[in-house]
């Protein structure tokens, strides 16, 4: 359930995928980049609710979507498949790029 509690975090990582291995890599990189800032990870039904709402309305700039192809239109998986970028680069520089310098 989405509540006002999300505004008490510097970053919220939303993991809408069911790929446990990928989610673990993204979560590990997220935790490493927090550097003392407050972070939270949402997955399962909560992640789906946040993603559904966020796809309609960007209600917070602290939301980070931990997916290569969600929300609809995101094409990071194509960059990986075409070998334009590797998984580590996509995770650290694209998905978690908003955490740099903040």
């Amino acid at each position: 359930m989405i509540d006002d509690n999300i505004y008490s975090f510097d970053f919220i990582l939303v993991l809408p995928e069911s790929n446990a291995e990928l989610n673990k890599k993204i979560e590990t990189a997220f935790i490493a980049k927090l550097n003392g800032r407050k972070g939270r990870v949402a997955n399962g039904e909560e992640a789906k609710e946040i993603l559904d709402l966020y796809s309609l309305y960007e209600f917070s700039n602290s939301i980070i979507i931990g997916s290569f192809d969600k929300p609809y239109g995101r094409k990071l998986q194509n960059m990986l498949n075409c070998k334009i970028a590797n998984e580590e680069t996509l995770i650290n520089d694209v998905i978690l790029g908003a955490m740099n310098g903040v």
Side-chain angles (χ1 to χ4, degrees), residues 3-10 12 57 59-60 62:
D3 59 29
D4 289 337
N5 188 22
I6 66 170
Y7 297 108
S8 65
F9 295 94
D10 296 314
I12 298 170
Y57 170 64
F59 56 91
S60 172
S62 65

Side-chain angles (χ1 to χ4, degrees), residues 32-63:
K33 283 190 159 206
L34 281 174
N35 291 328
R37 297 172 286 188
K38 285 181 67 176
R40 183 175 183 286
V41 178
N43 48 38
E45 186 61 31
E46 180 183 40
K48 183 187 177 319
E49 288 179 8
I50 293 172
L51 181 62
D52 288 348
L53 181 59
Y54 196 76
S55 295
L56 297 172
Y57 170 64
E58 188 177 328
F59 56 91
S60 172
N61 60 1
S62 65
I63 303 291

Side-chain angles (χ1 to χ4, degrees), residues 24-34 91-92 96 99:
K24 187 64 178 168
K25 288 178 184 177
I26 295 171
E27 184 176 351
T28 300
F30 173 72
I31 292 168
K33 283 190 159 206
L34 281 174
I91 291 170
N92 288 307
L96 300 177
M99 297 177 74

Side-chain angles (χ1 to χ4, degrees), residues 75-90 93-94:
K75 304 294 184 193
L76 299 180
Q77 186 66 48
N78 292 348
M79 294 178 75
L80 186 64
N81 293 344
C82 294
K83 300 189 183 338
I84 294 171
N86 63 29
E87 193 174 78
E88 184 179 328
T89 299
L90 292 176
D93 295 345
V94 180

